Amino acid sequence: MGASEFETVVQSFEENFRTRGEIGASVSIWWKGEEILSLGKGWCEKGEKRAWTKDTLVPVYSATKPLAAATLLLALEKRGLGVETMVREVWPAFPVEEASFGDLLSHQCGLSALDQAASIWEHDEVVAAIEAQVPAWRPGQGHGYHARTFGTLVDEPVRRLTGKVLGQLWWEEIAQPMGLEFWIGLPESEWARVAELYPGKASAGDFASGFYHEFNREGSLTRRTFGSPRGLRSVQEMNDPKAWAAGFPASGGVGTATALAKFYQAAIGAIESPLSESVRKALATRRVEGDDQVLIQPTAFSAGCQLDPVDADGTKERELYGPDAEAFGHPGAGGSHAFGDPELGLSFAYTMNQMELNVMPGRRSTTLVDALFGKL
């Protein structure tokens, strides 16, 4: 890493505001235990009432998932369990008998869509719907992104293991000891720091993709996945403090880019943290890849994180996480993005409030990643 790469990141960040519709955004880059770049610019709302700074909080949707996964992995470890433990040892009514926690965390259990109606606001309803669900596939038969059910799939075992909701355990065991300004269940004392989110706008090209074709097709697995459990579908609802406070582990995290990037420093072992070697290994180790039955494109997952898929020759099919095949992280709907590169000791996070219409990192974040790795 050299000064030229970081200068190009700064230039790309500025260009996002000039030509790509950015309203407010932050970027944080850490290298070998130190934050070496921290940017925050713009506004928390279109009315330009509050300036966006590097300390601004914002919901990051599914970029929450690896943090939630780390919390479950830590809870398992404290009980002498791990990724190869069968889920039914902790959750006896879990509907996939042969599933390990590694299978659950890598989207292999076929429980992305629920047939039984359940509200996202009612944890017990969602648990009952999961327990009644016939899996769409089973471990070893493929995988598909569990966009919304993932939250309950990790929260319920944590509750059974610890008697605490996942967001509380995350704060007590990981976030607070590390000084991370990231909450899965935001306290009222922090509400005034949260930026307002704005939905992305669709173009004709967006609906030509396989994902959006399936997303808009009535009854498709993709559409059912993103509607299960029901509720909290609009961006406006995510601007409600009720959503920030609820602590949804699949998509409800609220925090800073600095906190996300520092979490990945812990995940790659670049700093001391509550994450043990076994937890870090689970987050980093590729468990499944191939055609994603929900996202309708190739994906790869570890126990809680996403990686770039590779072809038969080991060449990356895309570089959302940079050129290293072992880099891992997770995007959030609309554009937020974070990852760690264990080979370089590098971590990156980008947060913003003007969303794009995507479930994978969009142009504003991928340009920053390309700049970081000298691709521009």
Side-chain angles (χ1 to χ4, degrees):
M1 293 290 102
S4 61
E5 283 87 355
F6 297 127
E7 181 57 34
T8 306
V9 172
V10 173
Q11 293 171 359
S12 297
F13 183 72
E14 297 288 345
E15 188 66 20
N16 282 344
F17 286 89
R18 285 193 295 269
T19 65
R20 301 188 185 110
E22 201 80 274
I23 298 173
S26 291
V27 172
S28 174
I29 298 171
W30 288 65
W31 186 39
K32 298 182 178 179
E34 299 290 336
E35 189 175 30
I36 54 176
L37 187 67
S38 180
L39 304 173
K41 180 180 177 178
W43 299 94
C44 293
E45 57 281 301
K46 288 182 177 179
E48 299 186 356
K49 297 177 182 177
R50 295 174 295 156
W52 181 298
T53 74
K54 63 182 183 179
D55 298 319
T56 294
L57 305 178
V58 68
V60 298
Y61 285 91
S62 287
T64 310
K65 284 183 169 73
L67 289 65
T71 306
L72 172 55
L73 290 166
L74 191 64
L76 287 166
E77 183 176 71
K78 287 180 177 292
R79 292 285 294 271
L81 308 173
V83 286
E84 303 310 328
T85 300
M86 295 295 104
V87 179
R88 282 194 175 180
E89 288 191 34
V90 175
W91 184 353
F94 189 71
V96 189
E97 181 180 5
E98 69 273 32
S100 68
F101 279 100
D103 297 326
L104 181 152
L105 289 168
S106 56
H107 306 270
Q108 295 190 69
C109 289
L111 301 171
S112 67
L114 302 176
D115 295 323
Q116 183 171 301
S119 168
I120 196 171
W121 301 99
E122 300 294 336
H123 178 82
D124 290 344
E125 277 189 15
V126 183
V127 169
I130 289 171
E131 292 176 348
Q133 185 63 38
V134 175
W137 63 86
R138 292 178 177 273
Q141 298 177 348
H143 72 285
Y145 185 51
H146 289 49
R148 292 163 68 86
T149 57
F150 187 92
T152 305
L153 290 171
V154 295
D155 197 2
E156 179 64 11
V158 167
R159 295 184 188 205
R160 289 172 177 266
L161 289 163
T162 70
K164 299 176 180 180
V165 298
L166 187 145
Q168 179 184 357
L169 193 69
W170 154 259
W171 180 253
E172 293 175 354
E173 299 290 339
I174 302 176
Q176 192 171 40
M178 288 184 62
L180 302 182
E181 290 202 300
F182 194 100
W183 289 265
I184 305 173
L186 188 69
E188 187 174 357
S189 60
E190 308 300 327
W191 289 0
R193 298 173 57 193
V194 182
E196 184 169 356
L197 289 171
Y198 296 92
K201 295 180 179 179
S203 66
D206 291 322
F207 296 108
S209 73
F211 169 77
Y212 280 106
H213 178 271
E214 289 300 294
F215 182 81
N216 287 291
R217 185 169 68 84
E218 190 67 36
S220 71
L221 177 62
T222 301
R223 187 177 181 89
R224 291 170 54 234
T225 291
F226 282 84
S228 301
R230 55 187 169 80
L232 200 64
R233 293 288 301 278
S234 74
V235 172
Q236 189 55 45
E237 288 179 279
M238 190 57 81
N239 286 323
D240 188 333
K242 179 183 176 183
W244 310 335
F248 297 121
S251 59
V254 182
T256 66
T258 290
L260 274 175
K262 188 177 181 182
F263 166 79
Y264 281 101
Q265 284 286 286
I268 64 176
I271 58 175
E272 290 189 11
S273 78
L275 305 185
S276 68
E277 183 179 356
S278 64
V279 169
R280 298 196 306 270
K281 182 179 179 181
L283 293 171
T285 302
R286 188 182 301 255
R287 294 186 68 96
V288 67
E289 70 180 302
D291 292 334
D292 191 301
Q293 299 182 51
V294 171
L295 296 181
I296 320 300
Q297 59 185 291
T299 58
F301 290 97
S302 67
C305 293
Q306 189 179 105
L307 302 92
D308 288 320
V310 296
D311 63 21
D313 297 324
T315 302
K316 278 197 167 190
E317 297 183 24
R318 54 179 177 256
E319 293 191 0
L320 299 180
Y321 303 104
D324 184 6
E326 304 309 313
F328 61 93
H330 213 286
S336 54
H337 189 33
F339 65 88
D341 183 328
E343 179 70 22
L344 293 175
L346 180 79
S347 60
F348 165 94
Y350 162 77
T351 61
M352 77 301 135
N353 60 346
Q354 176 56 68
M355 299 173 67
E356 298 175 277
L357 191 71
N358 56 54
V359 291
M360 302 296 272
R363 175 64 174 159
R364 282 181 272 129
S365 60
T366 57
T367 297
L368 296 172
V369 175
D370 289 346
L372 176 60
F373 290 101
K375 301 291 184 179
L376 296 180

